[in-house]
Amino acid sequence: MIWQLDLALLFLIVIIAIAAITVRDLLSAIMLLCAYSFLMAVVWVEMHSVDVAFTEAAVGAGATTAFLIAALSRTKRWEKK
Amino acid sequence: MNSKTSGMGGDKGGDVVVETVARLMVPFIQLFGLYVIIHGAGGPGGGFQGGVIIASSFILYVIAFGIVKAGNRFTEATNTVFFSTGVYIYAGVGLLCIICGLAFAAEFLNYGYIPLTHHFEENRALGMDLVEIGIGITVMAVITSIFFNLVWKREGEEVEGED
């Protein structure tokens, strides 16, 4: 474990999470959640938990993003003010 | 997201680059999913992750070729058969373990008692692989089914609030 890398990754994850809940474009929010899942997978690998990282990358970044985009295609793209 | 231009909702596909790349990528993604399922016992991966990877190949197929063509190839009835088959494989291996281990321990999913080979450890590894295959089939069918139900539009249905 490299604590500097951990600190940088977790800092980025917090920034992305805050951005995902503040942005008004819902497609951008979905893409930010995808980036969040990828960075979380990197953190899991860095903590030597490859199995969890595999699940996070496959489900969080792959399947959930496709589900959310499919759900977004049925509704409005922009959040109300 | 106009349904005529995007391949996901409309019946027409995308452009030729997306179709060619998808046609090349889908078999390799499925092969990687099978690899993850089979190597799940000894390393990272397993039935769930492999099933999700195979399902994501179907999602790529839907994105490239449209839901109508994909729905013709992978119908709801096939999906139902697949996800019940996976559950039956899982529960069947577990019940087989109980039946074959009646004289000894009779535990659910204690793979060693299945008489596939003469060694207890080899039986255990083979039984684990069978269970992983069952989990993979179920997860693949369920995630594909969820995605199809989210994307599928009925005839004459309009998307609300386009801007």
Side-chain angles (χ1 to χ4, degrees):
Chain A
M1 265 177 70
I2 313 164
W3 71 268
Q4 290 94 342
L5 185 61
D6 262 354
L7 197 68
L9 283 172
L10 291 172
F11 188 65
L12 265 177
I13 283 173
V14 169
I15 288 176
I16 288 176
I18 291 171
I21 58 172
T22 47
V23 75
R24 275 189 58 236
D25 187 359
L26 291 178
L27 189 63
S28 310
I30 293 169
M31 284 303 132
L32 284 167
L33 281 178
C34 181
Y36 172 89
S37 284
F38 262 121
L39 281 178
M40 207 63 214
V42 174
V43 171
W44 290 126
V45 172
E46 217 267 325
M47 291 175 171
H48 304 290
S49 165
V50 188
D51 218 342
V52 184
F54 215 132
T55 313
E56 182 81 38
V59 179
T64 308
T65 308
F67 285 172
L68 286 174
I69 288 177
L72 187 64
S73 72
R74 315 297 294 264
T75 177
K76 287 179 185 169
R77 179 171 170 180
W78 295 89
E79 199 179 337
K80 277 185 192 134
K81 271 180 195 166
Chain B
M1 290 190 189
N2 195 347
S3 65
K4 287 196 177 59
T5 50
S6 79
M8 214 152 75
D11 47 353
K12 283 205 286 186
D15 61 353
V16 65
V17 177
V18 177
E19 283 189 7
T20 313
V21 170
R23 196 176 283 132
L24 280 174
M25 285 291 288
V26 164
F28 287 103
I29 294 175
Q30 287 174 349
L31 195 64
F32 180 60
L34 288 177
Y35 170 82
V36 170
I37 290 178
I38 294 300
H39 284 255
F48 187 81
Q49 289 95 325
V52 172
I53 288 170
I54 296 179
S56 71
S57 80
F58 291 122
I59 291 175
L60 179 64
Y61 189 88
V62 172
I63 288 171
F65 294 98
I67 184 67
V68 176
K69 202 174 167 189
N72 287 336
R73 288 222 176 168
F74 210 71
T75 56
E76 196 66 37
T78 333
N79 254 336
T80 313
V81 168
F82 269 121
F83 60 66
S84 50
T85 306
V87 175
Y88 276 130
I89 289 175
Y90 185 88
V93 170
L95 285 177
L96 204 64
C97 293
I98 293 184
I99 292 167
C100 295
L102 269 181
F104 317 103
E107 288 169 298
F108 187 67
L109 289 179
N110 193 353
Y111 314 111
Y113 295 115
I114 303 174
L116 290 170
T117 58
H118 295 297
H119 297 285
F120 192 81
E121 282 75 23
E122 279 184 34
N123 288 344
R124 176 165 282 168
L126 283 171
M128 209 179 282
D129 276 344
L130 282 178
V131 166
E132 298 274 15
I133 287 167
I135 296 170
I137 290 172
T138 302
V139 170
M140 173 201 76
V142 168
I143 287 187
T144 313
S145 174
I146 292 173
F147 187 73
F148 275 28
N149 286 337
L150 277 174
V151 170
W152 196 277
K153 288 186 180 67
R154 285 184 220 95
E155 285 85 14
E157 183 183 0
E158 288 296 318
V159 180
E160 294 172 16
E162 279 292 320
D163 54 349

